[in-house]
Amino acid sequence: MTLTISYTEAVETAMAALGRAGVPPAHARLQVDLLVDAELAGRASHGLLRLPRVVQRIRNGVCDPVTEGDALWRGEAFLDVDGNRGLGPVVACAALDRIGERARRTGVAAAAIRNNNHLGMIGWYAERVARGGQALIALTTSEALVHPWGGRKALLGTNPIAIGVPARPHPFVLDMATSLVSMGQIHDYAHRGQPLSPGWALDAAGEPTTDAAAARDGAIAPFGGAKGYALGLAFEVLVTALTGAALGADVRGTLDATEPCNKGDVFIVIEPAGSAAARAIAAYLDAIRACPPARPGEPVLVPGDRGRDSREARLRDGIRLAEPVWREIVALSRPAQG
Amino acid sequence: MTLTISYTEAVETAMAALGRAGVPPAHARLQVDLLVDAELAGRASHGLLRLPRVVQRIRNGVCDPVTEGDALWRGEAFLDVDGNRGLGPVVACAALDRIGERARRTGVAAAAIRNNNHLGMIGWYAERVARGGQALIALTTSEALVHPWGGRKALLGTNPIAIGVPARPHPFVLDMATSLVSMGQIHDYAHRGQPLSPGWALDAAGEPTTDAAAARDGAIAPFGGAKGYALGLAFEVLVTALTGAALGADVRGTLDATEPCNKGDVFIVIEPAGSAAARAIAAYLDAIRACPPARPGEPVLVPGDRGRDSREARLRDGIRLAEPVWREIVALSRPAQG
């Protein structure tokens, strides 16, 4: 059963839930904006579904809602951040603001963040930076859920990348995991009793399976075969080289409610070349959209197009949420029965 | 017909060919090392096959073998480079040396290069930087050869990425195009009259084809479907945002012998966190190699493993080259008949 909730009601209820958990309003605003924006963009797996776990992690002492982390310039353009178990978007935005300002002078600046909670939908950061006129490359790691190409065990995170580039009328925003599907999708198929497509996942014994329930204890495939595997592995290794974060099967705390989060996040902010390049990019993206489609009536999309259409529709018509998800958030927003 | 040429003979002959074309020895050494290393790594498409075109481009005035480009610090950590039509690896290595030195102080430094010739196998740069103890992200664009996912026309470059990370005993090096196959492979299949696998390419009318000859005038597929397309597009847009280079169908000069090369190159050098992370990465890569394989007897590979094995074998046994390729290089290395 699905409910339709207005944007405003979703934000206010989520703000109240985080307020009751001791999150300062400015921090709650970042966390809620991130989760609700994922709902608007049609990415429910990174949406309000995640809010109860944020609250549980605060209660369990593995998330400190007040800190913004401790940051130290390891060089003039490199910010080393201990997130101090802060809220993912709070620590990340504090770091992004500092390196964004620094990059205006140095041309490029990076932040390497460890000991920070889940970043959520990383395209949100790319959009934020690109709207401010700078380019961003964002990487973050996760629990090992993905098997190496040709292997039987989950040894890699879903290791997404986001790239944001200023453009008109909208910034260009890429946000993609290096897994073929998300573990959220596997759980969703299992919940609905639907079979997976062949090639999506392995079971706990490392055998290919289309049984979603069996896949939850196994591993999901990298996207794009050997190349997608190689790319996800490169991101895992690069993030650890820069942050000192845990690797592979040692990563904890992005899916559970009890373990300190020991993955790493890397942001690189870069000043773009200028307005002539921005105009050329806008024209190019329009040429891509105007490419003759392989299937009549299915126009070629640019990354971000679908999310933007979805945001517009949901801001107008409301967000659709599974009833149990919404009930839990409403319960968290109210004084405990006494 | 294939010949086997020793590493030393290949290097000396190629050096002589570039010397006769007016390339200073230090510059010839970089260009030859790059091309011969591609042969050693088993990537003939980026190997000595490309040398005659380098010579033709010098003769045609679209490659200046003497310049190292003009570089200007656009910020303390951002080097803006006009390649002045220099040799790809000469301009790139000059820029890499400067940003590598700068990054030791600033933590991260980037170079955005325009008006530079073909970089060749970009993993070569990643290996060079990683052996020096720093991490590298390298991006470069190319002529439009790849169709958007769901589109019928070539509008994207093959837009490779390389990532190098220091590790023991070997650096970690990723080098991959965002196309499913290379145009070199298509030409090779056409030459041998072999059919392509379905899904690799479109013909000039934008229809799927397995006819390699027809695919030469069409478009090749992105790797990994919609995600690989999105990634390649993000690289194209990011490189232009930073370098001001041409985009999509306007790109020239990486395949022909007559047009100035107007694509862009981006390098980002980053100081790694330290030796504990390097040890953890080495252990992790070994755990990946030890992953139970999907097919018995086919161990899981880490990017770079196959190239390293190939280098060892070919340094010992020689490089195998198509006879016409070798004859052409030998002819270029000798005084013109009088």
Side-chain angles (χ1 to χ4, degrees):
Chain A
M1 163 98 187
T2 311
L3 302 173
T4 301
I5 311 294
S6 77
Y7 169 77
T8 308
E9 190 180 359
V11 168
E12 286 174 358
T13 310
M15 286 292 293
L18 289 182
R20 293 195 59 76
V23 183
H27 292 183
R29 194 163 300 280
L30 287 173
Q31 182 71 63
V32 168
D33 189 61
L34 170 71
L35 296 176
V36 173
D37 190 58
E39 295 289 351
L40 291 176
R43 298 185 60 173
S45 63
H46 286 68
L48 288 168
L49 177 73
R50 305 243 176 181
L51 191 129
R53 194 160 53 232
V54 171
V55 172
Q56 289 157 19
R57 290 183 63 80
I58 294 169
R59 288 182 182 153
N60 291 337
V62 287
C63 180
D64 172 353
V66 177
T67 185
E68 295 188 350
D70 282 327
L72 182 75
W73 289 102
R74 208 206 296 163
E76 283 172 62
F78 192 102
L79 193 68
D80 207 29
V81 181
D82 179 340
N84 286 337
R85 304 190 179 181
L87 282 164
V90 170
V91 171
C93 288
L96 275 176
D97 288 349
R98 296 186 70 176
I99 64 173
E101 190 192 340
R102 184 59 58 98
R104 298 205 188 278
R105 175 161 66 76
T106 56
V108 59
I113 309 176
R114 64 189 179 287
N115 200 17
N116 185 29
N117 277 287
H118 194 239
L119 290 190
M121 181 178 72
I122 63 170
W124 183 77
Y125 304 91
E127 177 124 12
R128 192 172 188 270
V129 171
R131 283 198 187 282
Q134 294 176 310
L136 177 73
I137 301 172
L139 301 172
T140 184
T141 50
S142 82
E143 262 88 346
L145 295 171
V146 176
H147 63 77
W149 188 244
R152 286 172 176 263
K153 270 173 62 180
L155 285 173
L156 294 97
T158 54
N159 302 356
I161 182 170
I163 294 179
V165 177
R168 299 206 170 262
H170 317 288
F172 174 90
V173 176
L174 169 82
D175 176 354
M176 52 171 265
T178 52
S179 54
L180 185 58
V181 293
S182 70
M183 191 48 90
Q185 278 174 280
I186 303 283
H187 280 267
D188 188 42
Y189 274 65
H191 187 69
R192 291 187 287 123
Q194 278 198 320
L196 306 177
S197 295
W200 280 17
L202 309 176
D203 64 20
E207 297 294 337
T209 185
T210 56
D211 176 352
R216 287 181 303 195
D217 304 318
I220 49 184
F223 93 101
K227 284 193 176 191
Y229 150 61
L231 192 72
L233 181 58
F235 293 163
E236 184 119 11
V237 165
L238 182 62
V239 167
T240 290
L242 305 185
T243 64
L247 278 157
D250 294 333
V251 179
R252 297 283 182 281
T254 69
L255 299 171
D256 61 73
T258 55
E259 302 266 352
C261 188
N262 59 0
K263 52 77 193 167
D265 314 316
V266 168
F267 293 113
I268 304 171
V269 173
I270 321 174
E271 282 289 308
S275 54
R279 278 192 302 274
I281 289 167
Y284 174 61
L285 294 176
D286 282 341
I288 293 267
R289 292 185 182 100
C291 179
R295 297 185 191 184
E298 294 186 20
V300 171
L301 293 175
V302 163
D305 283 355
R306 197 176 274 154
R308 204 158 35 241
D309 290 348
S310 167
R311 275 186 188 91
E312 204 172 297
R314 289 173 199 213
L315 276 171
R316 185 185 60 226
D317 305 332
I319 293 163
R320 298 183 52 149
L321 287 172
E323 194 180 349
V325 170
W326 181 244
R327 277 195 195 287
E328 196 172 355
I329 295 168
V330 169
L332 289 170
S333 73
R334 290 184 178 156
Q337 299 295 312
Chain B
M1 165 98 187
T2 311
L3 302 174
T4 301
I5 311 294
S6 77
Y7 169 76
T8 309
E9 191 181 358
V11 167
E12 286 174 358
T13 311
M15 285 292 293
L18 289 182
R20 292 196 58 76
V23 183
H27 292 183
R29 195 163 300 280
L30 287 173
Q31 181 71 62
V32 168
D33 189 62
L34 170 71
L35 296 175
V36 173
D37 190 58
E39 295 289 350
L40 291 176
R43 297 183 62 173
S45 63
H46 286 66
L48 288 168
L49 177 72
R50 304 240 177 184
L51 191 130
R53 195 162 50 233
V54 171
V55 172
Q56 288 157 18
R57 290 183 64 79
I58 293 169
R59 289 181 181 155
N60 291 338
V62 287
C63 178
D64 171 354
V66 177
T67 184
E68 296 189 348
D70 281 327
L72 182 75
W73 289 101
R74 209 206 296 165
E76 282 172 64
F78 193 103
L79 193 67
D80 206 29
V81 181
D82 180 340
N84 286 337
R85 303 189 179 182
L87 283 163
V90 170
V91 171
C93 288
L96 276 176
D97 289 349
R98 296 186 70 177
I99 64 173
E101 191 193 339
R102 183 59 57 97
R104 299 205 188 276
R105 174 162 67 78
T106 56
V108 59
I113 308 177
R114 64 190 178 287
N115 199 16
N116 186 28
N117 276 288
H118 194 239
L119 290 190
M121 181 177 72
I122 61 169
W124 184 79
Y125 304 91
E127 178 124 12
R128 190 171 189 272
V129 172
R131 285 200 186 281
Q134 296 177 309
L136 177 72
I137 302 172
L139 301 172
T140 184
T141 50
S142 82
E143 262 89 346
L145 295 171
V146 176
H147 63 77
W149 188 244
R152 287 172 176 261
K153 270 172 62 180
L155 285 174
L156 294 96
T158 54
N159 301 356
I161 181 170
I163 294 179
V165 177
R168 299 208 170 263
H170 316 287
F172 173 90
V173 176
L174 168 82
D175 176 353
M176 52 172 263
T178 51
S179 53
L180 183 59
V181 293
S182 70
M183 191 47 89
Q185 277 174 279
I186 302 283
H187 279 267
D188 188 43
Y189 275 64
H191 188 68
R192 291 187 287 123
Q194 277 198 320
L196 306 178
S197 295
W200 281 17
L202 308 177
D203 64 19
E207 297 294 337
T209 186
T210 57
D211 176 353
R216 289 182 301 195
D217 304 319
I220 49 184
F223 94 100
K227 284 192 177 193
Y229 149 61
L231 192 72
L233 181 59
F235 294 164
E236 183 120 12
V237 165
L238 182 62
V239 167
T240 290
L242 305 185
T243 63
L247 279 157
D250 294 334
V251 178
R252 297 283 183 283
T254 69
L255 300 170
D256 61 75
T258 54
E259 301 266 352
C261 189
N262 59 1
K263 53 77 193 167
D265 313 317
V266 168
F267 293 114
I268 304 171
V269 172
I270 323 175
E271 281 290 306
S275 54
R279 279 193 302 275
I281 289 167
Y284 174 61
L285 295 176
D286 282 341
I288 293 267
R289 292 185 182 99
C291 179
R295 298 184 189 185
E298 293 186 21
V300 171
L301 293 175
V302 163
D305 283 355
R306 197 175 276 154
R308 204 156 36 241
D309 290 349
S310 167
R311 276 186 188 89
E312 204 172 297
R314 290 173 198 212
L315 276 171
R316 185 185 60 224
D317 305 332
I319 294 163
R320 298 183 51 152
L321 287 172
E323 194 180 349
V325 169
W326 181 244
R327 278 195 195 287
E328 195 171 357
I329 295 168
V330 169
L332 289 170
S333 73
R334 291 184 177 155
Q337 301 292 313

